[in-house]
Amino acid sequence: MLDKSVTEIPGVGGKYAEDLALLHIYTIEDLLNYFPYRYDVYEIKPLAELIHDDKVTIEGRVVHDPTLQFYGKRKSRLTFTVEVEGVAIKAVMFNRAFAKKQIHIDNIITLTGKWDAHRLQITVSQYKLGPAEDQAKIQPMYSLKGNLTNIKLKKTVQQAINQYLHEVPEILPERYLTAYKIPERKTAIQTMHFPANRLALKHAKRRFVFEEFLLFQLKMQLLRKLKREATQGNAQHYDVDKVEEFINSFPFSLTNAQKKSLQQILSDMKSPYRMNRLLQGDVGSGKTAVAAIGLFASITAGKQGALMVPTEILAEQHYESLEELFADKANIALLTGSVKGKKRKEILEQLENHDIDIVIGTHALIQDDVNFSDLGFVIVDEQHRFGVEQRRALRDKGLQPDVLFMTATPIPRTLAITAFGDMDVSVIDEMPKGRKEIGTYWAKDNMFERVLKMIEKHVAQGEQAYVICPLIEESDKLDIQDAVDLYHQLVEYFPAHLKVGLMHGRLKSNEKEDVMKKFAENEVQVLVSTTVVEVGVNVPNATIMVIYDAERFGLSQLHQLRGRVGRGNKQSYCILIADPKGEVGKERMRIMTETTNGFELSEQDLKLRGPGDFFGKKQSGVPEFKVADMVHDYKALETARVDAQEMIENNLLYEDEEYFSLRKLLESDPVFTNTLD
């Protein structure tokens, strides 16, 4: 019955159905599940409790007849005074000249609108003659298109509820309704459209938050299970003793977080299923060491390994550090766009003949002519920098190789589990011992010269500095110090022997590489750059990070930039030059100076910005929910994840009758069924 067309509802004809279709409402079920996007609460509060600029409702007596002014074409302003609690309140209405004939002295009137506490004035959006008692306290407000009005849609929804609500099936087993004290589906739908009070609305929303998260988690986890079973990998029988020996040869001890992540990776490698794991770790937390042990384990199992990174300079740095780490235990090659001709041909032959154990490179690794003898372990660093197709192309070079994605963007665990639901997630949330914490300070614009003097002093001691700007060239719209202008200023300011470099997104790749190389080799002491410097280049000599207009960046981005320094054994500093006008900007600066823990920062960032901004609008991994919000409802998300896991592990969807409605709903989802096919 619920899959019938909306035209079955009295009063819904062809034209009306077309308007509803603009909202993706085609069936009665679509209509019942089209919830209001906000609720207007008509609650009369004492004047003392009204908040400036809020939407409020007041009730009072009209003190004098309204005065009407006309200005411009068909524009009018109606003003009158009402007495509320013995206080004279000015009421203003725009473009409602007709109301002059309806409102008279001594009328009791209920007004809703924007409250101005300073002027004791209300700008009226709605009014009603008579007292407020018989007015519904909470009014649903729907998102509308076409010729639809709120009143018309509300009436149609009410008819649908009267006729079809009894048909709505319950999809959650009774135990969840009882355990979480949430209403059954029918009651929750009725309450979402026509709430009796705030408490009932709160419980109805809680019900749908849990339901949306549970369905999403079930889809993710079922897909992961099915994908895993469909991709029987090659279990890697690595040499445990050799791996142990390799770890002991390190000049440092692994942290507990590194050990835990490593165990998860090695356990994946032993299993018959292909590994699909995300390794998250703050800048400098030691992800590369963990990845190197995984590569070594794969070599002892007779396989080859590949590490793909976004830039050539990063590939070179990984190559140098792995050469040092592996010594004579493996043959390592570097394959980037710069490797051409005879040298490239040689590497390709060695890869195909298994004379190379590990290859490190950029996009060059996924060219058609790159073939492996037996690729068993693939690492993709800063995985969000590569498209899905690029990641898949490297994976397809082997026969179901284990894949490890790495990222230094600390994503809150809850969100990582949601956005990367088809991956297992390992987290390194502990820093190696002895690493000096980066001193972070917030300075105003007028202190910039002091900051430059500090840079000069440190450079004289053989150190280097980054100066980061948000824009490349001056913009009329934003009063931001731009990189090009700042570069010229610094060239003028510093003595000639102190070399200043400039890097930004409009430079060609080889120009960027060249500037970065000069900086890495200390031919350039101060690097002025836009945020293209973010990703992983290791310059242990750089000890100062100055970020201009720091309030323009999100917390996670500021933290990523701060992580470019503090890589050597000298004390490092991050100076945030900012003059934020709003509270959010000030809060960001305060948080940055108080903590260097990336995961703590990312939780705060998420609260300040929301998940869309966090991942970028086009991140397909972040789903859009009707009622649920991943930031505010993260506890419910975690609960739903645990419940979904239990259902799948115990096969409840297929063996317990109480769960069959849930399974039926999952199987009817086209996104889900297409993926299963």
Side-chain angles (χ1 to χ4, degrees), residues 498-610:
L498 193 158
K499 291 282 177 278
V500 182
L502 172 66
M503 187 161 89
H504 55 69
R506 291 194 194 156
L507 291 179
K508 293 186 178 119
S509 286
N510 58 338
E511 291 173 321
K512 279 187 214 164
E513 297 277 345
D514 186 49
V515 176
M516 210 57 226
K517 204 164 196 154
K518 281 180 178 162
F519 187 63
E521 290 165 5
N522 204 355
E523 287 174 35
V524 163
Q525 285 76 46
V526 176
L527 181 64
V528 177
S529 172
T530 53
T531 52
V532 290
V533 81
E534 247 183 278
V535 174
V537 176
N538 195 10
V539 184
N541 210 30
T543 56
I544 297 175
M545 167 62 72
V546 178
I547 304 171
Y548 221 100
D549 289 309
E551 73 273 21
R552 307 265 178 195
F553 299 100
L555 277 175
S556 287
Q557 205 176 14
L558 288 172
H559 180 64
Q560 286 273 296
L561 290 165
R562 173 168 63 185
R564 299 291 113 236
V565 295
R567 294 178 161 237
N569 49 15
K570 294 173 185 165
Q571 177 60 52
S572 291
Y573 304 92
C574 176
I575 317 291
L576 307 166
I577 296 179
D579 195 4
K581 303 287 181 276
E583 285 310 308
V584 170
K586 287 173 187 165
E587 181 71 359
R588 269 193 200 133
M589 297 307 109
R590 190 188 60 73
I591 295 165
M592 279 296 292
T593 56
E594 284 178 9
T595 180
T596 53
N597 180 317
F599 288 95
E600 222 171 277
L601 278 167
S602 67
E603 290 283 359
Q604 300 281 357
D605 205 18
L606 198 53
K607 285 174 190 162
L608 292 174
R609 295 162 75 199

Side-chain angles (χ1 to χ4, degrees), residues 169-172 657-666:
E170 181 53 73
I171 60 164
L172 295 179
E657 242 177 272
E658 258 206 297
Y659 292 79
F660 287 179
S661 302
L662 206 49
R663 188 184 87 203
K664 204 172 155 193
L665 191 68
L666 282 170

